[in-house]
Amino acid sequence: MSAPTSGQVLQLLPKFSDADSDLRYMSLNDLYVVLTTAPQSIFNNDFNTCARAVDALLKTLDDSNGDVQSQAIKCLGPLAAKAPPDLLAPFIEKLSNLKPTNSLDASIPATSLRNLIVSFPRPIPGVPPSLATQHAYAAISKVLVPRLLGYIVIPHPGMKSQLSPPKGMLEIDSEKGVDSESVDVLIELVRCFGPMLHDAEKAALQKKILEILNDKRTRNVIKKKAVIAISVLAVHLTDSLLNAFISDTIESFRIPHLQPSKRRLLVSMIGSLTRSVPQRLGPYLQSIAPFILSPLSKQEYEDSLQDMDEDGSLDPIAEEVKEAALVTLEALMSLCSSDMQVYTDEAIECSLRYVKYNPSLAMEDDDEAMETEGSNNEEDEGGDDGSEGNIDADDEDFEEEGAVSDDDDASWKIRRCATKVLYAIISTRNSNDLSENWILYERVAPVLISCFKEQEENVRLEVLSTLAALIRRTRENSYLLQTSADDEGYVSSSSMAKSRKRRRDGSDASMRESMNMTSPTHSPSPTPSTRSDLSPLGPSIIQGTTKLLNSKSLATKQAATTLLRDFVLVQPGALSEGLSQIINSLMGLINSPSTMAIGSTTGIAGPASVTGTSLRIEALRLIGSICDTHNIKILSHHVKMVLPGLLSAAKDKYFKISSQAIRVIESLVRLLTPPRSSGLEGQFKLQLSSLFDAVMDRASASGADIEVRQVALHAIGLTLARTSERGGVELLSRTKRFKALSILSDRLKNETTRVESIQAIDTLALSPADRSDLKAEWIREIILEIAGQLRKSDRILRGTSLRALKHLLSDKDILDKLDSGTIHGLFLMLLPLLEPSGLDFLNLALRSLANLVQCNSSLVVNEDLNNAICDIVLVNHGTNVQDALLVLVNAIGSSGAGQPLMQLLLKKVGITGEPAIVGAAIGSLLVSGGTSVGIRIEDFIDELHTAPDDRRKSLALSVLGEAGLHLGKSSPLQPTIFLNYFKSKSEDLPRAAAVALGRAGAGDVPKYLPIILANMKKKGSNQYLLLRAIKEILQHAHKTKLDISDFTAEIWQNSLTTSEGEDNKAVGAECIGRLISIEPKKYFPLLQTYLKDPKPAVRGMVIQAVRFAFTDTDREFDRALKPILVEMLITMLNDPTVENRRLALTTLNSATNNKAAIVLPHIHQLLPFVIKESIINPELIREVTMGPFKHKVDDGLEVRKSAYETLNALMDTAFARMNSLDLYDRVTEGLSDEHDIKILCNLMITKLLTLTPEETSRHLDSIAARFQAILSFKPKENAVKQEIEKAEEASKAVLKTTIRLHNAFPGASGAAGGTSSGASGNVGSWRGYWEWVSKEFRVLLQSAEGEIRSENA
């Protein structure tokens, strides 16, 4: 099919004047199809046809038929896109001068103009405008800007009627005022072409907008649009123009006897500017903030009440001023929180003043009550006597439905806005501010609690959301919750789910924790933190929310339920008093039908709808949290009350309710079984049986939803693990246990429930349950079935299967029930996993095979296994895999089947592998196998003396060192065997000898260590090698708790002395760090003194030593570290040497990961140092001359990288204590930094998208500008390969982050049906950026999207 031509357009034009409106409509539709499918050059050689098309289309805009008009407007964009550049200006001029005569809709010309502007190619900030964009802007600047203003701003060559411009569209008419549609055109113009406007045009448009705002004839609706226009224009104003505008606004505030309407306008304008350009507004806030707070002052509050008393009514304009001030204050506290920090207390006071504002009530009494709330002079069990934090029984009959306020009473809007200000303060302040600002707990929280009886539901929901936000921030601040809980034996399943730490596959103990195999034995007391500040409010919160649970509003019930759940997670055991009433209300909600009416509401988090189903799910979650956080003695009386409703909910036809009920059953099973029910085991057999039956019914029901069956299988595994016979009490009958095992075996063969079945079996394997009811046939069947999954391509399935096998094979009772066929089949499934490239599964596979070797070595140890081991030994896979490999080698040697493996290691591997790894394997096999391997230790001593090359000698040394470690004091090796090779001229041999000396010395410290220390006193080149040997001894001593106290003082002194050399610094630091972890009380004080040493090298070595000391330590170490760590870190971060500050940042990073409980309470003292180091320091940038060229060298780059790495790590452990605005400032700035920092900042944005979506949405525009710069960068033609690869990597990272941001905020990108998800202010830059990326990087964007899908899978 040929492309459309201008001739086809010409044929359609006469039909636009046909009398039949249907024909006119269809002709326009045909024109639209032609224009959208035609090539860009359709009118290049036919200017006349295009001009006629423009004229004909303009005539149809004045058509009497609305559908024809709409279709004509639709054709404007495609026609303008294909029109020659010279025709754009006449097109705009004719359209702007269009005067409808036949149409009843006077807004058609302005609507058409807006559509035309939107259709033009727009400029992208940071990217040079295209030729088409330049032509479009030239036409707009030449015609539309003068048409709006009524005069020519910038003369253009060839412009007609420059001396007599037409009346401006924005001119203020003496009768009608300003045309509202023209203001819309102005807004669209600035939104689309703001980056290209000349300064003179910006100034002229700003002047015109201010004229509109200041004119008394301008209607309020138009003033609101003008405020939007000025906020959109402010994004593009120069600093001088913005400064002049804000200065004029401030002066307007200072006008004596300012009219309330004018004051409302000025306040609204500041609010709009805040949402538009918050970063640029910050320097002016010291002058602006008092004018925003003034309408909310106590004086004006009392004056308004006094005026009301005189005439019985309030000035509606004055009320609107208060509302506008609160809206603006919320924006300021949210978007300019750092600059508004000094006004926090005043903002809180203003908000508290109006959060209960209700002129229809006796405000004098209420004012007096608010004064009482902050005092704590009178205490009783219910709280302060007379405090509004308590809800009296007389208030039970308050109106539930809301909407009871009079139509004329809009005070609820003020109360809602005041509550939103409090929410903004709570949500934008870091947790340290919360802990220091007592007013939030002693003043704000009690007032919010007293507002539970608010009549207007919208306000009540905001109150509940705000108090819930305070409780959640308190929970984030309670960093000691998990630590304290662990000290008390308390492990909450909910807190376990929050852990971000990855657990090692080789640790059964950690795996038991991840499977929730431990439980609280009692409810712990709150730790000393902000939770203690929240504790006195508990009775009031519980009393108030309990009443709300019985209200008529679904939204209120759900908000109250969510609030209670947040509270109980912060204060475990807090619902002990009044628990009966709470559970009664909750069970009423759970038992209510899901078909209850829908309640819609708009909370702080955005639009939401509440249904009976969502309310039941939230009630079930609260029941589960109560079970997780309360003592069995408290809950034992309520189990019978909960059980019927829970069992009924588990069978609910709606899968979300059923699956949530089963999760609550899991929490209840943990509660009713040891160790939490220790001493009461026999009391809950019937309840456990009922719970188990319900779970079994869901797991075996073929009609149940897949998710329900999966959750039920997990519950079966947990129940089996915790109900084995304890202390002679049978908690679950053997018949039921056998039935459950049969279900697991059956579901294991089903593809949809396979993973969950394996996880359930894994839970059972990890538990200390009695294995007598596990029949041999069942064990063999499920082990082979699980092993069969190792050949599947699904990585999750393979990983889950391998972990389960490792735990099953670690149990001796299970191993004893395996027959030869099962062992052989299992071996055949595990063997293919011993691929050197399969690092993910290698560790688990090696440990599983080691268990099989111990069970039956004759079936497992063969040539295939030995060859696979040799292949693994050839590659360095890291410590975890190497440790697992040595476990397998030791098992083979202990079984007496090690001789073939020894021969292969010597002949096939030998010196081809890394001597240290090969030597460790041979040495372990040599000792564990004894005489059965056919090789003696003396053979390697002879090899050491007679080997012709250094590589063979290095291998022999490694073998002897490992053998010495395992033989211990029975080793015949002497230290001189290793020391003799320190003087070798080879580079590798002395190092191998040093490591071997340390390994052997760790086996017999009294023999080796004195000789090593004696040699360290001799000055020479062996100091580094001797330090390496000591490091090996200290590592082993720390791991095995070996007593070396007799030598620590001498090691300390020698390490300090020899570490002053640059080559010895890193090894010496590790030695000192290991010593500190062994004897912290002795060496920490000494270490502090060296931090003030005048030598930078000594300070740097000490800083590194502290970092090495953090890993694998005990409570005694923590007790010694706690009083001094923060002071030491501050000293390190203040070091005058750049390199030492970089080391200090890595030490801080290590401290937050390993000693979070000590560091996090003081992170606010340390963060400023990290932020400071992330800023480019011009003093560290120097210019270097290299021949004819000069280039800059940034000596601060490495420390800046460390600062960003530290910020990235702190986001995982201390985000609640970080200021998100400051963090985002550094992240956006980092996108303009060096390559490595750009990549890291993309990762940080991805994290922030999850941690603080609201703040992310506010920074979309600033992110867009940086992303455009990265994607627009083109390496030079003579760029080296590394520079090209870096540019490609940066672009790829940006595109992936762009996709994630677009998916999170589709509305900000202009996606159909999307919402901004809370995005505030102008997101035009992000929308333009997304359109540009979608067009220019379409293929790369699709590739990045595919990678994201693969990662998620």
Side-chain angles (χ1 to χ4, degrees):
M1 183 177 177
S2 59
T5 63
S6 59
Q8 292 175 263
V9 176
L10 190 61
Q11 293 174 1
L12 291 171
L13 298 183
K15 300 178 183 179
F16 294 171
S17 303
D18 194 276
D20 187 353
S21 61
D22 290 339
L23 183 59
R24 297 197 302 273
Y25 177 86
M26 294 306 299
S27 300
L28 286 167
N29 185 66
D30 292 341
L31 176 64
Y32 178 79
V33 173
V34 169
L35 292 174
T36 53
T37 57
Q40 185 66 36
S41 59
I42 183 173
F43 295 120
N44 281 3
N45 299 318
D46 199 349
F47 187 91
N48 183 52
T49 299
C50 187
R52 291 179 63 184
V54 169
D55 292 337
L57 199 59
L58 292 176
K59 288 182 180 179
T60 58
L61 290 174
D62 193 24
D63 199 286
S64 58
N65 187 289
D67 292 337
V68 174
Q69 286 181 316
S70 299
Q71 191 64 27
I73 293 173
K74 188 177 177 182
C75 292
L76 287 173
L79 180 59
K82 301 296 192 299
D86 294 340
L87 197 58
L88 293 179
F91 194 173
I92 297 174
E93 185 175 11
K94 291 179 180 180
L95 186 58
S96 63
N97 290 318
L98 181 66
K99 301 294 184 183
T101 56
N102 299 320
S103 173
L104 297 177
D105 189 356
S107 67
I108 287 294
T111 303
S112 302
L113 270 175
R114 293 206 313 271
N115 277 272
L116 188 64
I117 294 170
V118 171
S119 69
F120 285 142
R122 307 178 194 178
I124 305 296
V127 179
S130 64
L131 186 61
T133 304
Q134 294 178 30
H135 288 152
Y137 169 67
I140 287 173
S141 178
K142 184 178 180 180
V143 177
L144 185 56
V145 173
R147 186 70 186 84
L148 286 170
L149 297 173
Y151 61 91
I152 297 170
V153 181
I154 301 176
H156 291 267
M159 182 181 291
K160 297 180 180 179
S161 61
Q162 288 190 9
L163 300 177
S164 56
K167 181 182 177 181
M169 297 169 64
L170 294 174
E171 289 290 334
I172 303 174
D173 189 88
S174 58
E175 296 180 0
K176 299 180 180 180
V178 179
D179 180 24
S180 173
E181 301 295 333
S182 300
V183 180
D184 290 335
V185 173
L186 170 62
I187 293 172
E188 207 61 59
L189 166 64
V190 176
R191 196 188 304 276
C192 294
F193 286 90
M196 295 187 71
L197 291 173
H198 289 87
D199 289 347
E201 291 172 324
K202 296 174 187 176
L205 291 173
Q206 179 188 7
K207 181 181 178 182
K208 179 58 68 177
I209 295 171
L210 292 178
E211 288 178 3
I212 295 171
L213 288 171
N214 293 325
D215 194 278
K216 296 181 180 179
R217 293 168 294 180
T218 306
R219 291 174 294 157
N220 287 337
V221 174
I222 299 176
K223 284 186 177 181
K224 289 180 180 179
K225 288 187 177 183
V227 169
I228 296 174
I230 197 67
S231 67
V232 174
L233 182 62
V235 177
H236 310 289
L237 291 178
T238 61
D239 291 339
S240 58
L241 287 174
L242 183 64
N243 178 64
F245 169 64
I246 294 178
S247 299
D248 291 342
T249 304
I250 293 173
E251 291 303 317
S252 298
F253 271 119
R254 291 173 176 160
I255 296 175
H257 308 295
L258 185 64
Q259 292 293 322
S261 58
K262 178 68 173 178
R263 191 183 193 187
R264 177 190 60 193
L265 177 64
L266 294 173
V267 171
S268 299
M269 196 183 306
I270 295 299
S272 188
L273 283 176
T274 303
R275 288 182 285 274
S276 180
V277 285
Q279 294 87 355
R280 301 180 67 186
L281 199 64
Y284 304 97
L285 288 181
Q286 189 174 0
S287 301
I288 293 175
F291 296 113
I292 306 302
L293 292 167
S294 176
L296 308 173
S297 65
K298 185 176 181 180
Q299 181 63 44
E300 295 206 18
Y301 176 83
E302 293 174 348
D303 290 345
S304 65
L305 293 180
Q306 186 176 359
D307 293 340
M308 184 192 72
D309 291 339
E310 292 174 356
D311 58 11
S313 62
L314 288 171
D315 181 5
I317 303 298
E319 296 296 282
E320 290 177 8
V321 171
K322 295 172 185 175
E323 182 184 353
L326 287 167
V327 170
T328 301
L329 184 59
E330 179 202 357
L332 288 171
M333 301 309 293
S334 298
L335 302 171
C336 306
S337 61
S338 298
D339 298 295
M340 290 293 292
Q341 189 80 31
V342 294
Y343 298 102
T344 300
D345 290 346
E346 192 172 350
I348 290 175
E349 290 298 326
C350 292
S351 302
L352 291 178
R353 190 171 293 123
Y354 285 97
V355 78
K356 301 179 67 177
Y357 179 68
N358 194 340
S360 61
L361 301 178
M363 301 303 294
E364 295 84 357
D365 295 339
D366 193 56
D367 212 8
E368 182 181 347
M370 285 183 65
E371 295 293 331
T372 311
E373 285 169 357
S375 63
N376 293 317
N377 298 328
E378 299 180 13
E379 299 181 359
D380 56 22
E381 292 181 358
D384 298 344
D385 187 21
S387 170
E388 289 180 306
N390 296 325
I391 301 178
D392 298 327
D394 296 338
D395 297 323
E396 287 188 14
D397 297 328
F398 72 85
E399 188 64 42
E400 301 289 355
E401 289 298 328
V404 296
S405 54
D406 297 332
D407 294 337
D408 296 334
D409 182 15
S411 63
W412 66 270
K413 296 180 181 179
I414 295 177
R415 297 197 298 274
R416 184 179 65 177
C417 291
T419 309
K420 286 186 174 183
V421 174
L422 293 175
Y423 181 90
I425 293 171
I426 292 168
S427 60
T428 56
R429 296 305 182 267
N430 61 55
S431 296
N432 182 68
D433 293 336
L434 297 183
S435 61
E436 291 182 353
N437 201 341
W438 58 268
I439 195 172
L440 289 174
Y441 297 97
E442 296 194 12
R443 289 291 310 278
V444 174
V447 172
L448 290 174
I449 294 169
S450 70
C451 290
F452 284 178
K453 59 186 178 181
E454 167 67 47
Q455 294 181 349
E456 185 66 38
E457 185 178 35
N458 283 334
V459 182
R460 192 189 319 135
L461 292 174
E462 299 290 358
V463 167
L464 291 169
S465 298
T466 303
L467 185 58
L470 177 60
I471 292 172
R472 284 193 298 271
R473 295 308 299 270
T474 306
R475 182 186 179 192
E476 293 169 358
N477 189 46
S478 301
Y479 63 93
L480 288 177
L481 174 60
Q482 184 63 44
T483 305
S484 173
D486 290 343
D487 293 343
E488 300 289 343
Y490 174 85
V491 179
S492 169
S493 61
S494 56
S495 61
M496 298 290 280
K498 294 291 184 183
S499 176
R500 292 190 179 100
K501 290 191 176 182
R502 186 190 309 173
R503 304 189 182 277
R504 296 182 179 176
D505 290 333
S507 172
D508 288 349
S510 6
M511 186 59 67
R512 284 194 179 90
E513 289 181 1
S514 66
M515 294 292 182
N516 294 319
M517 293 312 301
T518 53
S519 306
T521 55
H522 62 279
S523 301
S525 302
T527 52
S529 64
T530 51
R531 290 197 298 153
S532 301
D533 299 325
L534 198 61
S535 298
L537 302 172
S540 299
I541 292 175
I542 295 169
Q543 184 181 3
T545 50
T546 303
K547 293 177 181 178
L548 294 178
L549 288 176
N550 298 316
S551 65
K552 299 177 183 178
S553 166
L554 294 185
T556 298
K557 289 179 181 179
Q558 181 159 321
T561 306
T562 304
L563 175 64
L564 270 179
R565 183 167 179 265
D566 289 331
F567 181 69
V568 78
L569 291 176
V570 177
Q571 298 282 340
L575 303 186
S576 302
E577 297 181 8
L579 191 58
S580 297
Q581 190 175 356
I582 293 173
I583 290 182
N584 273 328
S585 300
L586 292 176
M587 296 316 298
L589 298 178
I590 293 171
N591 293 327
S592 59
S594 298
T595 54
M596 288 190 297
I598 297 177
S600 298
T601 182
T602 302
I604 286 176
S609 61
V610 179
T611 64
T613 297
S614 65
L615 180 57
R616 293 177 68 191
I617 291 173
E618 198 61 36
L620 285 167
R621 286 175 179 162
L622 177 53
I623 290 290
S625 297
I626 291 172
C627 292
D628 286 336
T629 57
H630 283 68
N631 195 300
I632 181 62
K633 294 181 180 178
I634 297 172
L635 290 174
S636 59
H637 305 295
H638 305 285
V639 173
K640 293 182 180 179
M641 188 190 306
V642 171
L643 205 58
L646 193 56
L647 296 178
S648 175
K651 298 178 181 179
D652 196 276
K653 62 180 180 180
Y654 190 48
F655 76 96
K656 288 188 176 181
I657 293 177
S658 181
S659 58
Q660 186 59 48
I662 294 173
R663 293 187 183 98
V664 178
I665 287 177
E666 288 188 355
S667 297
L668 198 54
V669 168
R670 281 191 288 267
L671 174 71
L672 301 180
T673 53
R676 292 187 66 184
S677 65
S678 297
L680 304 173
E681 294 91 343
Q683 296 185 16
F684 305 109
K685 290 176 62 177
L686 292 177
Q687 289 84 351
L688 286 170
S689 180
S690 300
L691 293 171
F692 184 77
D693 290 341
V695 172
M696 285 289 293
D697 176 69
R698 294 290 83 198
S700 57
S702 58
D705 188 86
I706 292 175
E707 181 181 335
V708 174
R709 281 181 282 166
Q710 291 172 344
V711 176
L713 288 169
H714 187 276
I716 287 175
L718 179 71
T719 307
L720 288 175
R722 299 181 69 98
T723 55
S724 61
E725 188 171 334
R726 305 286 184 102
V729 178
E730 188 182 64
L731 299 179
L732 196 66
S733 68
R734 287 186 175 269
T735 303
K736 292 189 175 186
R737 295 180 68 83
F738 289 147
K739 184 179 178 182
L741 295 173
S742 176
I743 285 288
L744 290 178
S745 177
D746 180 61
R747 290 300 179 185
L748 183 58
K749 300 169 186 176
N750 188 305
E751 186 176 356
T752 59
T753 55
R754 187 171 287 150
V755 172
E756 288 70 23
S757 299
I758 296 173
Q759 289 173 342
I761 293 170
D762 193 15
T763 302
L764 181 59
L766 280 167
S767 71
D770 183 15
R771 309 298 187 209
S772 60
D773 54 358
L774 300 182
K775 295 182 179 180
E777 294 79 7
W778 183 85
I779 290 175
R780 296 166 189 169
E781 180 186 358
I782 61 105
I783 281 183
L784 288 178
E785 187 66 35
I786 294 174
Q789 311 311 314
L790 299 177
R791 294 185 176 180
K792 301 292 177 64
S793 59
D794 188 339
R795 293 183 62 82
I796 295 177
L797 176 60
R798 294 171 68 196
T800 304
S801 301
L802 196 51
R803 278 190 292 272
L805 285 175
K806 186 256 180 183
H807 298 139
L808 286 167
L809 298 177
S810 298
D811 193 304
K812 188 177 183 305
D813 293 335
I814 292 177
L815 278 176
D816 291 342
K817 295 180 180 180
L818 300 183
D819 58 8
S820 57
T822 305
I823 294 173
H824 181 68
L826 184 54
F827 169 71
L828 293 178
M829 298 294 182
L830 288 170
L831 189 61
L833 298 179
L834 301 187
E835 292 288 339
S837 59
L839 187 60
D840 294 341
F841 303 128
L842 197 51
N843 182 8
L844 292 172
L846 288 169
R847 293 183 182 275
S848 299
L849 284 168
N851 292 324
L852 282 182
V853 170
Q854 294 173 1
C855 180
N856 194 330
S857 60
S858 61
L859 291 174
V860 179
V861 182
N862 57 24
E863 186 178 356
D864 292 336
L865 178 60
N866 292 336
N867 285 323
I869 291 174
C870 292
D871 292 338
I872 295 170
V873 170
L874 287 171
V875 183
N876 186 353
H877 292 288
T879 304
N880 288 339
V881 173
Q882 188 174 350
D883 289 346
L885 176 64
L886 294 181
V887 171
L888 175 58
V889 169
N890 282 327
I892 293 173
S894 301
S895 68
Q899 186 173 6
L901 177 58
M902 178 64 80
Q903 294 301 319
L904 282 174
L905 288 172
L906 292 173
K907 295 178 180 179
K908 181 180 178 180
V909 180
I911 60 173
T912 58
E914 190 174 326
I917 298 174
V918 179
I922 295 174
S924 297
L925 185 60
L926 179 67
V927 176
S928 62
T931 57
S932 65
V933 297
I935 300 292
R936 300 175 305 154
I937 195 171
E938 289 77 12
D939 295 331
F940 289 99
I941 297 175
D942 294 339
E943 175 75 9
L944 181 61
H945 296 318
T946 59
D949 56 80
D950 291 338
R951 195 163 182 84
R952 294 181 187 276
K953 290 180 180 180
S954 296
L955 177 59
L957 285 168
S958 297
V959 172
L960 292 173
E962 194 69 22
L965 173 65
H966 292 288
L967 288 171
K969 294 186 178 181
S970 62
S971 171
L973 302 173
Q974 298 298 321
T976 52
I977 292 178
F978 307 101
L979 289 169
N980 290 337
Y981 291 91
F982 277 21
K983 297 180 181 180
S984 173
K985 295 181 181 179
S986 168
E987 291 185 5
D988 298 329
L989 192 57
R991 293 180 181 178
V995 174
L997 175 63
R999 300 288 286 176
D1004 192 356
V1005 173
K1007 184 201 302 189
Y1008 279 78
L1009 200 49
I1011 295 175
I1012 294 174
L1013 293 173
N1015 278 274
M1016 288 190 74
K1017 295 177 181 178
K1018 302 175 184 178
K1019 294 183 179 180
S1021 58
N1022 294 336
Q1023 301 297 319
Y1024 171 79
L1025 299 174
L1026 293 168
L1027 275 175
R1028 288 287 299 268
I1030 287 180
K1031 186 191 81 169
E1032 293 291 334
I1033 293 174
L1034 291 174
Q1035 281 180 332
H1036 186 75
H1038 180 72
K1039 187 185 298 184
T1040 60
K1041 305 300 180 183
L1042 186 67
D1043 184 15
I1044 58 169
S1045 56
D1046 294 339
F1047 305 98
T1048 53
E1050 194 172 353
I1051 294 174
W1052 171 271
Q1053 191 58 48
N1054 286 337
S1055 298
L1056 283 173
T1057 304
T1058 56
S1059 297
E1060 293 186 11
E1062 188 64 30
D1063 295 337
N1064 302 340
K1065 186 168 66 173
V1067 182
E1070 188 168 354
C1071 292
I1072 293 173
R1074 299 294 180 188
L1075 274 178
I1076 296 170
S1077 62
I1078 294 172
E1079 294 190 32
K1081 291 183 180 179
K1082 181 177 180 181
Y1083 292 113
F1084 262 134
L1086 296 175
L1087 201 67
Q1088 285 181 283
T1089 60
Y1090 283 103
L1091 280 175
K1092 301 176 182 178
D1093 194 279
K1095 298 178 182 178
V1098 174
R1099 298 196 306 272
M1101 182 270 297
V1102 171
I1103 293 171
Q1104 290 186 78
V1106 175
R1107 175 165 58 96
F1108 286 118
F1110 287 145
T1111 56
D1112 300 326
T1113 54
D1114 54 19
R1115 292 184 181 180
E1116 181 182 354
F1117 177 88
D1118 291 347
R1119 283 193 289 268
L1121 179 66
K1122 186 175 181 179
I1124 61 173
L1125 176 58
V1126 175
E1127 181 184 348
M1128 289 173 63
L1129 288 171
I1130 292 175
T1131 304
M1132 297 175 193
L1133 293 167
N1134 269 319
D1135 196 283
T1137 307
V1138 175
E1139 175 60 16
N1140 285 350
R1141 293 202 301 274
R1142 184 189 69 81
L1143 294 173
L1145 287 169
T1146 61
T1147 302
L1148 172 60
N1149 197 346
S1150 177
T1152 54
N1153 286 326
N1154 295 286
K1155 304 298 173 189
I1158 301 176
V1159 176
L1160 294 189
H1162 309 279
I1163 200 67
H1164 63 285
Q1165 298 175 255
L1166 304 169
L1167 264 176
F1169 297 102
V1170 184
I1171 296 291
K1172 179 183 176 183
E1173 296 300 339
S1174 69
I1175 301 172
I1176 296 176
N1177 186 355
E1179 297 178 0
L1180 297 177
I1181 300 176
R1182 52 191 172 87
E1183 194 172 68
V1184 178
T1185 303
M1186 296 184 67
F1189 304 103
K1190 292 183 178 180
H1191 71 280
K1192 293 182 178 180
V1193 176
D1194 188 352
D1195 293 328
L1197 177 59
E1198 293 303 319
V1199 70
R1200 209 157 61 247
K1201 286 182 185 177
S1202 295
Y1204 274 100
E1205 289 169 356
T1206 304
L1207 288 174
N1208 182 44
L1210 287 173
M1211 287 169 61
D1212 294 330
T1213 55
F1215 181 75
R1217 293 175 168 269
M1218 303 172 74
N1219 188 305
S1220 57
L1221 288 177
D1222 292 343
L1223 181 59
Y1224 246 118
D1225 287 343
R1226 298 317 314 145
V1227 171
T1228 50
E1229 288 299 321
L1231 291 171
S1232 303
D1233 212 313
E1234 294 296 326
H1235 172 76
D1236 292 339
I1237 297 177
K1238 289 178 186 176
I1239 301 298
L1240 190 58
C1241 287
N1242 275 280
L1243 175 63
M1244 295 170 73
I1245 290 174
T1246 304
K1247 288 184 180 180
L1248 287 166
L1249 182 58
T1250 303
L1251 293 170
T1252 172
E1254 292 182 6
E1255 199 62 48
T1256 303
S1257 70
R1258 298 185 188 113
H1259 286 80
L1260 286 177
D1261 283 356
S1262 58
I1263 292 172
R1266 268 68 174 193
F1267 279 6
Q1268 287 163 358
I1270 295 173
L1271 294 174
S1272 302
F1273 173 76
K1274 304 295 181 186
K1276 298 178 181 178
E1277 293 182 0
N1278 60 348
V1280 297
K1281 182 181 178 182
Q1282 186 179 14
E1283 292 178 351
I1284 297 173
E1285 290 176 348
K1286 283 185 176 180
E1288 291 175 351
E1289 184 184 6
S1291 297
K1292 186 177 179 180
V1294 164
L1295 290 173
K1296 291 172 75 171
T1297 308
T1298 297
I1299 291 170
R1300 292 187 175 100
L1301 291 171
H1302 168 71
N1303 292 339
F1305 310 109
S1309 305
T1315 60
S1316 62
S1317 301
S1320 302
N1322 176 37
V1323 292
S1325 297
W1326 176 262
R1327 182 179 293 112
Y1329 163 73
W1330 173 253
E1331 293 173 355
W1332 173 71
V1333 168
S1334 302
K1335 179 180 178 182
E1336 301 294 332
F1337 297 87
R1338 182 175 58 85
V1339 177
L1340 293 176
L1341 209 61
Q1342 291 174 351
S1343 175
E1345 195 166 5
E1347 290 186 20
I1348 291 175
R1349 283 197 298 266
S1350 300
E1351 292 171 3
N1352 294 337

